[in-house]
Amino acid sequence: MISTAVIILNWNGRQHLEQFLPSVVRHTPHGVRIIVADNGSTDDSVDFLRHTYPDIEIICLNHNYGFAKGYNLALEQVEAECFVLLNSDIEVTEGWLEPLVATITNSHNVGAVAPKLRSYGYRDKFEYAGAAGGYIDILGYPFCRGRILSTVESDNGQYDDKREVFWASGAAFCCRAELFRRLGGFDADFFAHMEEIDLCWRMQLAGYKVMIEPRSVVYHLGGGTLPNDSPRKLYLNYRNNLMMLFKCAPTWQRCLVAVARPMADALSALIYLVKGERELAIAVWQAYKEFILRHKELNAKRKAVRSGVKQESRTIYRGSIVVRYALGQKIFGQLFR
């Protein structure tokens, strides 16, 4: 096995570390470094680690830099050929790591690979944020093999084939360390949410593949930092998605997005208002406001990203997942027969 480090980013997650870290220690092969990068926690996470797991390495950051910059800063201090980023609320299973690292080792053009994510609370179901591999549609809306919008499938082995996908979930993200560094890591301006999709897109533009390896299975609790109905989470998802599309999409797709997305997102905000969820509607508008204010710096980022394109992504779904869902096609297998 090539030199590998498992890095868990923690922020005030003492309870998660106590609950989930034992599985990581138990099922991670000897010789693989396990590192907890603490993102300026104010609870007793670090003291707990030092007393309970003295052999685990700790990187202490002086502030909560968010998922993107927090990982960037931590990984600057880690020497390894393969990085495995793991949320603190992930339970791993026996043999989870070897297939991931083997995929990186045996395929020179694979930049990142993810395990199959199941739900920790509903263990026969896929987990919302990753399932059996992620995709985006032509307008940038993400979905997964096993999860389309709010519909999550049970895992009956229907997606157990190893294949190329568009994105690998940041909850359990294995990548080539040299490529991560060469591409500048995650976009720190994202803070949290969508940063792994953005990085996977940039990997593909640089000529690398993103894979799903279903022989590796982990369970994800999810919602550990921000609940699903959080206006802050909705704001980050909308803003970061728009920034990602602006940076990475080819010109024809970017023009389509510029016309269709504002109409679709305005409709979403209106629906939130009608339902009495005013804070969520405001979050959508705030995301657009921030996106417009960042136009100048996004132009510079786009120029940097697009100037080095070796190939366009082959895994973008050339249709609208929202329209297909509205027509009743809510299962991944109905889209790709």
Side-chain angles (χ1 to χ4, degrees):
M1 182 181 290
I2 60 175
S3 61
T4 301
V6 175
I7 307 97
I8 300 169
L9 189 67
N10 172 71
W11 180 69
N12 289 346
R14 154 66 191 272
Q15 290 184 334
H16 285 160
L17 293 172
E18 189 171 5
Q19 182 176 359
F20 295 100
L21 195 52
S23 73
V24 180
V25 173
R26 185 182 316 119
H27 296 305
T28 298
H30 180 72
V32 174
R33 298 167 64 190
I34 300 175
I35 302 167
V36 174
D38 188 76
N39 221 353
S41 292
T42 55
D43 66 0
D44 62 343
S45 294
V46 174
D47 286 340
F48 166 75
L49 289 168
R50 285 173 175 161
H51 286 95
T52 311
Y53 294 99
D55 294 332
I56 288 181
E57 301 175 50
I58 304 173
I59 296 173
C60 289
L61 304 176
N62 61 0
H63 180 72
N64 179 15
Y65 291 97
F67 185 98
K69 189 174 182 179
Y71 261 124
N72 287 351
L73 291 172
L75 295 179
E76 286 177 358
Q77 305 178 49
V78 178
E79 287 299 325
E81 295 171 276
C82 184
F83 293 148
V84 183
L85 282 50
L86 208 62
N87 276 16
S88 62
D89 59 351
I90 287 280
E91 176 186 277
V92 304
T93 60
E94 185 175 359
W96 74 283
L97 186 60
E98 292 89 339
L100 302 178
V101 178
T103 301
I104 296 291
T105 304
N106 298 333
S107 304
H108 70 279
N109 63 341
V110 172
V113 58
K116 180 166 63 174
L117 269 73
R118 286 183 183 155
S119 168
Y120 180 79
Y122 303 91
R123 299 178 76 86
D124 64 330
K125 287 186 172 293
F126 288 110
E127 205 280 322
Y128 181 92
Y135 292 85
I136 64 169
D137 74 359
I138 201 69
L139 296 181
Y141 293 116
F143 62 100
C144 306
R145 289 203 304 169
R147 189 275 297 174
I148 297 180
L149 299 184
S150 60
T151 299
V152 181
E153 297 178 50
S154 295
D155 180 11
N156 300 311
Q158 67 271 42
Y159 305 125
D160 276 356
D161 57 312
K162 181 176 181 178
R163 67 158 65 181
E164 184 178 1
V165 293
F166 187 84
W167 57 271
S169 173
F173 185 91
C174 177
C175 68
R176 197 175 297 275
E178 180 276 330
L179 181 61
F180 183 92
R181 291 195 171 101
R182 177 156 38 104
L183 296 179
F186 296 119
D187 187 331
D189 288 337
F190 280 38
F191 188 79
H193 300 293
M194 296 277 178
E195 64 286 304
E196 78 271 46
I197 305 181
D198 171 76
L199 178 58
C200 286
W201 199 340
R202 288 186 281 125
M203 285 181 173
Q204 291 168 82
L205 295 177
Y208 289 82
K209 294 180 180 180
V210 177
M211 303 292 293
I212 181 73
E213 174 48 276
R215 290 183 300 162
S216 173
V217 179
V218 302
Y219 292 87
H220 186 207
L221 178 62
T225 304
L226 289 173
N228 289 329
D229 60 351
S230 161
R232 172 67 172 169
K233 183 172 184 176
L234 188 72
Y235 160 78
L236 290 171
N237 275 322
Y238 270 84
R239 185 200 66 173
N240 294 351
N241 186 267
L242 292 168
M243 293 198 300
M244 174 185 71
L245 287 162
F246 191 96
K247 287 167 48 184
C248 300
T251 300
W252 68 266
Q253 185 185 7
R254 182 180 159 198
C255 291
L256 177 63
V257 167
V259 173
R261 275 295 297 270
M263 293 188 293
D265 294 341
L267 178 60
S268 294
L270 180 60
I271 291 172
Y272 286 131
L273 281 175
V274 171
K275 292 167 62 178
E277 298 172 325
R278 183 172 177 272
E279 290 185 347
L280 296 180
I282 291 173
V284 176
W285 296 120
Q286 287 176 332
Y288 267 85
K289 178 182 177 181
E290 178 72 10
F291 169 65
I292 293 169
L293 289 174
R294 289 177 176 265
H295 185 78
K296 184 176 181 180
E297 64 185 88
L298 285 171
N299 265 323
K301 287 185 178 184
R302 176 176 175 80
K303 184 177 180 180
V305 170
R306 296 295 304 176
S307 65
V309 171
K310 292 186 178 179
Q311 65 178 27
E312 298 293 348
S313 172
R314 300 182 297 268
T315 53
I316 295 175
Y317 175 56
R318 300 299 180 94
S320 169
I321 197 67
V322 176
V323 171
R324 296 293 292 269
Y325 192 87
L327 293 174
Q329 294 171 314
K330 302 181 178 182
I331 304 298
F332 184 89
Q334 296 174 333
L335 301 175
F336 300 90
R337 294 186 185 279

